[in-house]
Amino acid sequence: HLGVIATVAVVIGGGFMTLGVGPVGAAPATGTISGTVTAAAGGAPLSGICVWATVPGAPGGQTAGQATTASDGTYTISGLATGSYTVQFNGCSAGNYATQWYNNQPSQSSANAVAVTAPGTTGTINAAMVAGGSISGTVTAAVGGADLQGICVFANQSGGGSGGSATTASNGTYSVTGLAAGSYTVQFSVAGCGNSGNYGTQWYNDETSSISANPVSVTAGSATPSINAAMQPGGSISGTVTDTTSPTPNDLQGICVSASHSSGEPDYVSAATASDGTYTVTGLAAGSYNVQFNTGCGNSGNYLTQWWQDASSSSSATAVSVTAGGNHTGIGAAMQPAGTITGTVTAAVGGAALGG
């Protein structure tokens, strides 16, 4: 039972002695990271700064622990396994401060690693927060000029540094704060921020991809205003996805459908098929797209990933042309059954089966 102290009686030469073994099932020891966060200008301690410890190289930047600085600027992140971590500092509720990583680095890739050895504490992992810059502007509809609420605005630092995001207000205005000095691409999209209109995703200044976007320069502690956008009507791609059952194929729900630029640019827009197998990918700027079909949006079937038209890779896919405000219909797919590979993994020493 967890938490029970076990003892073992050992017979030695007609007598016995008792050996204490310790807690049965005790949790492994963990370490901590601690430090103090101050303002670079003036040196005052900062409360409300968010501090994250993440595992370098882990999928999605796996967060191992998080803390918020107290009134004296101190923080402690506990519960950390022995290992190497990157530590991020973000303004959160403390104000407009540029996100940074230890030790005064602009990105996770350039961050200094912090070693933790349980059950010890790695202290003096401090940060001096620099005033953040900002990007602001107004988003309107290209047709009619109405202010657009609920448009997502993303500022991504060139070279993979930190960025920020905002959502437009009822008058179409936005402000992305907490930005480090540098060059940014600014993206405008309807996906997930409350606007139900069909507008094509675009980048400043009226560009259709991040590669062709005009860079926006930000200076620490200064505002970069008038980074505006006039949203063009979005195009769409629609169709139906089935299996290959003969003579009557079954409609497939929960198939992911993604439309990405056929030129190889990294940006894409996606949708999932409904119960009747239909889908519509909206918010597409005018251009040429490769359309991908795969499981992972609720469908648990074993189907091969494919591209329009029955292609096994994006390089062999047939491109779909989209016009602003137009709907390209009939882009369907018949999902082919996929094969499987199975086996058992064991320890070389002892032969125990290894889960996980």
Side-chain angles (χ1 to χ4, degrees):
H1 298 283
L2 294 179
V4 175
I5 303 297
T7 59
V8 179
V10 181
V11 177
I12 302 178
F16 72 92
M17 66 179 181
T18 300
L19 303 177
V21 177
V24 176
T30 58
T32 61
I33 294 173
S34 64
T36 303
V37 181
T38 59
L46 295 177
S47 64
I49 297 290
C50 296
V51 188
W52 286 278
T54 58
V55 180
Q62 176 186 337
T63 299
Q66 186 267 338
T68 302
T69 56
S71 58
D72 61 354
T74 61
Y75 74 90
T76 298
I77 300 175
S78 56
L80 301 175
T82 295
S84 181
Y85 297 87
T86 55
V87 181
Q88 179 187 8
F89 303 88
N90 182 278
C92 285
S93 62
N96 185 15
Y97 292 99
T99 297
Q100 62 175 269
W101 280 258
Y102 185 77
N103 186 11
N104 192 31
Q105 296 298 311
S107 69
Q108 185 178 25
S109 61
S110 64
N112 293 176
V114 176
V116 172
T117 302
T121 294
T122 303
T124 10
I125 305 303
N126 304 329
M129 303 295 286
V130 176
S134 66
I135 295 173
S136 61
T138 302
V139 181
T140 59
V143 178
D147 297 329
L148 293 180
Q149 182 177 11
I151 298 295
C152 305
V153 186
F154 303 97
N156 298 309
Q157 192 171 25
S158 304
S162 61
S165 63
T167 301
T168 57
S170 58
N171 63 353
T173 61
Y174 75 90
S175 181
V176 181
T177 60
L179 300 177
S183 180
Y184 292 80
T185 58
V186 182
Q187 177 186 0
F188 304 89
S189 170
V190 298
C193 287
N195 190 295
S196 59
N198 183 15
Y199 297 99
T201 297
Q202 63 175 264
W203 284 255
Y204 185 77
N205 185 15
D206 195 28
E207 297 293 334
T208 59
S209 76
S210 58
I211 293 176
S212 61
N214 293 184
V216 176
S217 181
V218 171
T219 302
S222 299
T224 303
S226 303
I227 305 303
N228 305 326
M231 303 294 285
Q232 298 289 338
S236 62
I237 296 172
S238 62
T240 302
V241 180
T242 67
D243 62 15
T244 56
T245 300
S246 180
T248 305
N250 298 302
D251 298 328
L252 293 180
Q253 184 176 9
I255 298 294
C256 305
V257 186
S258 304
S260 59
H261 291 277
S262 57
S263 60
E265 295 162 5
D267 319 303
Y268 70 92
V269 183
S270 63
T273 57
S275 58
D276 61 355
T278 61
Y279 76 90
T280 301
V281 177
T282 60
L284 298 174
S288 181
Y289 294 84
N290 289 338
V291 182
Q292 177 184 335
F293 305 88
N294 61 276
T295 56
C297 289
N299 190 296
S300 58
N302 185 21
Y303 298 103
L304 289 170
T305 295
Q306 62 178 269
W307 284 256
W308 169 259
Q309 252 178 338
D310 297 325
S312 59
S313 69
S314 59
S315 61
S316 60
T318 300
V320 177
S321 181
V322 173
T323 58
N327 179 27
H328 198 123
T329 62
I331 308 302
M335 303 295 287
Q336 299 289 332
T340 59
I341 297 175
T342 62
T344 303
V345 179
T346 61
V349 179
L354 298 177

